[in-house]
Amino acid sequence: MKISKLSQSLLRSGAVAALVFASSSAQRADAALHLAFGVDTNAGSPTTFNQIRVRDLHDDHYHGFTQNNGTAGSHVPEPFVVIPGSGMATLDLASMDISPFSSSRYTTTLTPGGDFHLELIGLTGIDTDNLIVRFWHDDHTHTMSVGGNAEHLSLAEINKIDFALASGAGLGSYSAQFRIVDEGETYITSPTFTIHVNAVPEPSAALLGAAALGFGILRRRRR
């Protein structure tokens, strides 16, 4: 059976769109997000003095961080991309440092020290029961839950945080809200910061969907 030029064009465009979508999603999923935190020791900053602040590493300096809900080409990182039941997104905590900051740099050990812990305080999205948040402690993981006990390890013991979605989880936007607390109560709890995750279909499903869309358009044009 011969395929018309219109059919071929639609198939090619659908396949290319699906592949580009899958490729860009994978790139976003692998995009590095390095967070650090410190205590504002500048008495000239009355609203944030003595408070734990979260920073995003940008090249050789830091910026204040509240969420990774930016767009391509902007400084604010894009949301992580996760395929339900396949793969995960990782928040790298390698640059976390318990220290004061000056001019957005982290340079010296904080004195007095604090007992810093990461708390998961909220989940949002269309199917949060299937959103898995876990952190690595040495060579094993702990699953976090809102108000749970898994986060009661020092931040110094957490290597990275993984975000995954169980198979069958609904597609769309998800987010997890965190804060950093000093359980010794020397320093003020950090503002809430949010990690966004977008659930997308398998690349093969996206490709089949684009092809089906192309055939649908073709059939309507023939009628």
Side-chain angles (χ1 to χ4, degrees):
M1 180 181 66
K2 293 184 178 180
I3 301 178
S4 69
K5 291 184 178 179
L6 176 59
S7 301
Q8 293 173 356
S9 176
L10 287 171
L11 284 172
R12 283 197 299 269
S13 62
V16 169
L19 290 173
V20 169
F21 172 76
S23 174
S24 63
S25 296
Q27 289 172 2
R28 286 197 299 271
D30 295 336
L33 174 58
H34 297 269
L35 297 185
F37 75 96
V39 173
D40 189 346
T41 56
N42 182 5
S45 303
T47 59
T48 61
F49 174 61
N50 216 41
Q51 184 180 43
I52 304 166
R53 308 291 292 179
V54 180
R55 290 287 191 259
D56 171 30
L57 180 64
H58 181 213
D59 296 330
D60 63 348
H61 58 281
Y62 291 94
H63 292 267
F65 180 84
T66 58
Q67 59 183 333
N68 62 323
N69 203 24
T71 57
S74 69
H75 164 65
V76 179
E78 294 180 82
F80 289 119
V81 175
V82 176
I83 299 170
S86 176
M88 64 189 67
T90 298
L91 171 59
D92 186 357
L93 302 184
S95 60
M96 279 284 189
D97 184 25
I98 303 172
S99 62
F101 62 82
S102 175
S103 300
S104 75
R105 301 285 182 138
Y106 297 76
T107 55
T108 61
T109 301
L110 185 65
T111 303
D115 184 14
F116 298 105
H117 295 252
L118 182 69
E119 291 185 350
L120 175 63
I121 60 175
L123 296 172
T124 57
I126 60 175
D127 191 9
T128 54
D129 287 344
N130 279 314
L131 176 61
I132 302 164
V133 182
R134 59 193 178 192
F135 66 72
W136 283 86
H137 176 213
D138 296 328
D139 60 352
H140 59 280
T141 62
H142 295 258
T143 298
M144 302 181 75
S145 60
V146 177
N149 294 322
E151 67 269 24
H152 287 284
L153 282 174
S154 166
L155 253 174
E157 298 179 276
I158 301 174
N159 303 320
K160 59 185 179 180
I161 303 175
D162 289 336
F163 299 89
L165 286 156
S167 181
L171 303 181
S173 300
Y174 293 81
S175 62
Q177 295 81 45
F178 298 91
R179 66 184 180 186
I180 298 174
V181 301
D182 174 18
E183 296 197 349
E185 300 183 348
T186 302
Y187 302 106
I188 301 169
T189 298
S190 77
T192 299
F193 63 97
T194 302
I195 304 298
H196 294 278
V197 175
N198 289 338
V200 301
E202 288 276 4
S204 57
L207 178 59
L208 289 174
L213 177 62
F215 279 121
I217 294 172
L218 176 62
R219 291 185 64 183
R220 287 195 295 271
R221 289 177 64 94
R222 285 181 170 177
R223 289 177 180 175

